[in-house]
Amino acid sequence: VDAFIGEVVQPCELGWGSHELNFPADGVEHSSGSQSAIYLSRMGATQKVRSWTPRGGPQHAYLFAHDESVSITNYFTRRNKEGEILYKPTVYFAYQPCPDAVVSLNELWGTEWQGFGADERTRVLLSDISCGQEEMGALLLGPEWGAYWFGSDITIDQANTLAPHSNATTLQVTSAALAGIVWALENPRRGIVEPEELDFKRILEVASPYLGTLHGKYFPQFLGNHPLAGKPQLAGENKWQFANFRV
C-alpha cells in the first residue's frame, strides 16, 4: 500500500547519538535544523539492523525513516550554556513486516522500484486476516542492563474483538491517534507540540484498552550471539556503536 511503499523508498533516517565514534561512509548530515538526525544514502528497504522483541526474539529488521527517531533524539539532547551538545542518544525505527509484505517488497524490488503506484492489486488486509499478532514497543539498549523492551503485544483476535474490521497494526496506530486527539481537546491552549511533550500517563490511559497486553522484558544477552562477540568491536562501550547493529 502507499504508506508502506513510501517508507521503504525513503532514505534511512536516524537520530545520531553523541557516543558514536564512526560516522557512516554513506551518512549525510542535515544542513539545517536541530542536527539531531542523519540519513543514509540508501532506501529503507536496502538496510537492515539487529533488533529484538519478546515474542519474535532476535531478528534483522528494516531501518525505516520515522518522525519519532528524530524527535526522541532531540527531546533527550542536553546542551551546555554555550549550546554545545553534552549528550544525545542514537534512535532509529526497526520494522519487521509480515512475510506476505516482504514478498510484495521483493516483487517491488524486482521492478527496480518502478512498479509502485501502478499495481491495481494493491489492497489493505483487515477482517480477512485470520491469525497473527503485532509487537510494537521501545527497545532500550545500554551497558548497565543490556536490553529492555516495553510495548504492546496484540493478536488479530483481540483487535477484532475490540474494534471489528480492524487489525492489530491499525489498532496500535489509531489508539495513539485517538489519545492524541483527546489530549488536544483537553489542552486547547498548548498549541503545536511533539508527541514526547504530551502527558504519557494520560495518553496510555486512553490508548491502553486498545493495545492488548502491555508489558516489559529484559534481555541482557542482547548481542551475546553477535558474530563479533568477544572481539574488540564489541568490547566495553564500543558494543553500543551503531556500526555493530547494521547488517
Side-chain angles (χ1 to χ4, degrees), residues 89-165:
T90 291
V91 181
Y92 57 81
F93 181 80
Y95 184 57
Q96 181 64 273
C98 71
D100 285 349
V102 174
V103 171
S104 296
L105 180 59
N106 289 335
E107 292 175 351
L108 182 60
W109 204 335
T111 68
E112 302 298 332
W113 311 103
Q114 299 304 307
F116 59 90
D119 193 339
E120 296 181 357
R121 296 174 298 168
T122 297
R123 66 191 181 98
V124 177
L125 300 178
L126 295 172
S127 57
D128 42 357
I129 299 177
S130 60
C131 63
Q133 67 280 325
E134 176 87 4
E135 288 180 291
M136 180 184 67
L139 180 63
L140 306 179
L141 304 171
E144 186 171 354
W145 298 104
Y148 176 73
W149 185 94
F150 181 84
S152 161
D153 186 347
I154 183 171
T155 67
I156 186 62
D157 289 336
Q158 289 175 303
N160 283 327
T161 299
L162 291 166
H165 312 296

Side-chain angles (χ1 to χ4, degrees), residues 23-96:
F23 195 80
D26 56 348
V28 182
E29 294 182 285
H30 294 284
S31 58
S32 61
S34 66
Q35 306 298 310
S36 296
I38 67 170
Y39 65 93
L40 307 180
S41 301
R42 57 173 61 218
M43 292 182 289
T46 65
Q47 179 63 64
K48 288 191 174 184
V49 289
R50 293 176 174 85
S51 190
W52 179 86
T53 64
R55 187 191 292 268
Q59 55 194 271
H60 291 172
Y62 291 96
L63 174 54
F64 288 159
H66 253 241
D67 292 346
E68 63 268 29
S69 299
V70 181
S71 60
I72 291 175
T73 296
N74 187 53
Y75 183 78
F76 285 110
T77 295
R78 294 295 175 263
R79 302 175 185 268
N80 60 20
K81 294 180 179 180
E82 289 71 37
E84 298 171 327
I85 292 176
L86 301 175
Y87 167 80
K88 63 175 179 173
T90 291
V91 181
Y92 57 81
F93 181 80
Y95 184 57
Q96 181 64 273

